[in-house]
Amino acid sequence: MTTLNDSLKQQECDISLIDVIQRILSASKDISFRLQQGALAGILGATEEENVQGETQKKLDVISNDLLKDALKASPYVYGIASEEEDFAVPGNDGGEYLVTYDPLDGSSNIDINVSVGTIFSIMKTTGNSDLAQDFLQAGTNQVAAGYVLYGPSTILVITTGKGVSMWTLDNRIGEFVLTNDKVQIPAQTKEFAINMSNQRFWAEPVQAYVADLLAGEEGPIGKRFNMRWVAAMVAEVHRILTRGGIFMYPWDGREPSKPGKLRLMYEANPMAMLVEQAGGLCRTDSERMLEVAPTEIHQRVPVFLGSKEEVERAVSYK
């Protein structure tokens, strides 16, 4: 049986990076167990608090954030941490070499209805900047590892260290992730798209025109029928695309002109972009490659178009 440690060593990952990844997974196993317990663990429902984005926090949002933060702060290799649930960057250890960003529980609005959610993470090396917040502001091309843990009927780790994408399934009998797909590839073409259609009236004209062409089916300019999917959790949407192809879109809309998108660059879009590109797909904003976006703040938002290469290229070609 191939272990994750063996796989990471074969990819010539430093022991320090392996340690950081294993600490993320240790916390993720705890999160997985609590999700399986559901109401029995007292983790359902919302708190009375809001995060820095102004979103009401679910109980397990807070629990998951604390589990990951505590696990990572205990690593001598982690210099700093940034999370969706933290207002500011959190210092780690002075001798650390890695910066970790994460969304502790993506799709947490799905918890109470027992639908898939996940943990998304990104790992970069510190630049040595004494200003921790500035240290994090690196383009996604600087990531040394990225991935997510999907909590669904089974708990699945999807990870890349820049040498392809692999999937690992948690075997609860032994408490370890077991390799189930070591060569994940996204088909270049697709007949599935995912977008929140309830926001259609707020989209920019190019997005409206593209989705209208998708809906036109065989009679439209694209010339084929598409099916629509929407789970309302980015981690589940991306997992479907990595499994069978598709395009996922969360474009800018006109409701909040000051916000260029809903999804966060540093701990949602960038790690997913690294995974998707490593699997042969594309991830872009409406105007540039996602991994080349120069971040200006930790909680920066961006529009997202990701998935099957040919379909993403078509989507962003509309002007």
Side-chain angles (χ1 to χ4, degrees):
M1 180 180 70
T2 301
T3 68
L4 181 59
N5 272 10
D6 288 342
S7 176
L8 294 173
K9 288 176 182 176
Q10 289 168 9
Q11 297 171 46
E12 300 180 340
C13 294
D14 293 339
I15 295 299
S16 54
L17 178 58
I18 295 173
D19 176 85
V20 174
I21 292 170
Q22 288 293 1
R23 289 177 189 270
I24 293 171
L25 298 186
S26 177
S28 296
K29 291 174 188 177
D30 198 341
I31 295 168
S32 176
F33 174 77
R34 293 170 191 248
L35 280 163
Q36 289 170 5
Q37 295 296 104
L40 299 176
I43 51 88
L44 302 185
T47 68
E48 296 180 358
E49 304 296 325
E50 291 185 347
N51 63 19
V52 67
Q53 277 75 234
E55 300 163 341
T56 300
Q57 293 175 306
K58 296 289 187 178
K59 291 178 182 178
L60 197 56
D61 279 327
V62 177
I63 295 169
S64 300
N65 183 67
D66 289 345
L67 287 169
L68 285 158
K69 180 169 64 173
D70 291 346
L72 289 165
K73 288 184 71 174
S75 170
Y77 305 113
V78 174
Y79 183 67
I81 302 160
S83 164
E84 179 178 3
E85 305 303 332
E86 299 286 339
D87 291 358
F88 306 104
V90 177
N93 296 288
D94 288 341
E97 57 184 299
Y98 293 106
L99 304 171
V100 183
T101 65
Y102 58 83
D103 181 347
L105 205 63
D106 176 67
S108 57
S109 61
N110 284 335
I111 295 172
D112 293 352
I113 58 171
N114 204 32
V115 174
S116 295
V117 294
T119 296
I120 308 170
F121 62 89
S122 166
I123 304 174
M124 301 178 293
K125 285 203 169 186
T126 174
T127 64
N129 193 323
S130 58
D131 184 332
L132 184 58
Q134 289 295 315
D135 200 6
F136 274 96
L137 303 185
Q138 304 178 45
T141 49
N142 286 2
Q143 294 174 110
V144 295
Y148 62 79
V149 179
L150 176 70
Y151 312 110
S154 56
T155 297
I156 299 174
L157 164 68
V158 181
I159 190 169
T160 182
T161 61
K163 297 180 179 179
V165 178
S166 57
M167 288 187 182
W168 304 73
T169 301
L170 180 62
D171 186 339
N172 288 310
R173 297 170 300 177
I174 60 174
E176 296 295 336
F177 285 95
V178 176
L179 182 64
T180 46
N181 186 347
D182 64 347
K183 295 178 181 177
V184 177
Q185 282 290 306
I186 300 172
Q189 299 178 337
T190 185
K191 293 184 178 181
E192 285 190 341
F193 72 98
I195 195 167
N196 187 346
M197 288 294 293
S198 68
N199 294 331
Q200 181 176 9
R201 64 194 184 281
F202 302 113
W203 299 334
E205 181 56 36
V207 179
Q208 296 220 26
Y210 170 65
V211 174
D213 286 349
L214 294 179
L215 296 175
E218 300 94 330
E219 292 76 28
I222 299 177
K224 60 181 178 181
R225 182 178 300 182
F226 283 78
N227 289 322
M228 194 188 89
R229 300 287 184 264
W230 188 250
V231 185
M234 187 187 192
V235 68
E237 307 287 0
V238 172
H239 192 73
R240 183 181 61 251
I241 287 169
L242 287 169
T243 302
R244 68 188 193 203
I247 181 171
F248 166 81
M249 297 169 281
Y250 216 120
W252 171 88
D253 66 51
R255 289 173 295 174
E256 297 183 81
S258 63
K259 294 180 180 179
K262 182 180 186 296
L263 299 176
R264 271 63 58 142
L265 173 66
M266 301 295 294
Y267 41 83
E268 292 176 328
N270 269 345
M272 292 308 199
M274 185 178 183
L275 286 167
V276 167
E277 286 198 2
Q278 284 291 313
L282 287 182
C283 182
R284 293 177 54 92
T285 69
D286 49 4
S287 60
E288 61 185 313
R289 181 187 177 207
M290 188 67 68
L291 293 178
E292 294 177 352
V293 174
T296 56
E297 53 132 338
I298 288 172
H299 299 294
Q300 179 176 343
R301 297 172 186 256
V302 287
V304 175
F305 297 78
L306 67 77
S308 294
K309 184 176 184 292
E310 291 185 15
E311 207 54 52
V312 173
E313 288 175 337
R314 191 196 329 266
V316 299
S317 72
Y318 282 64
K319 303 298 180 184

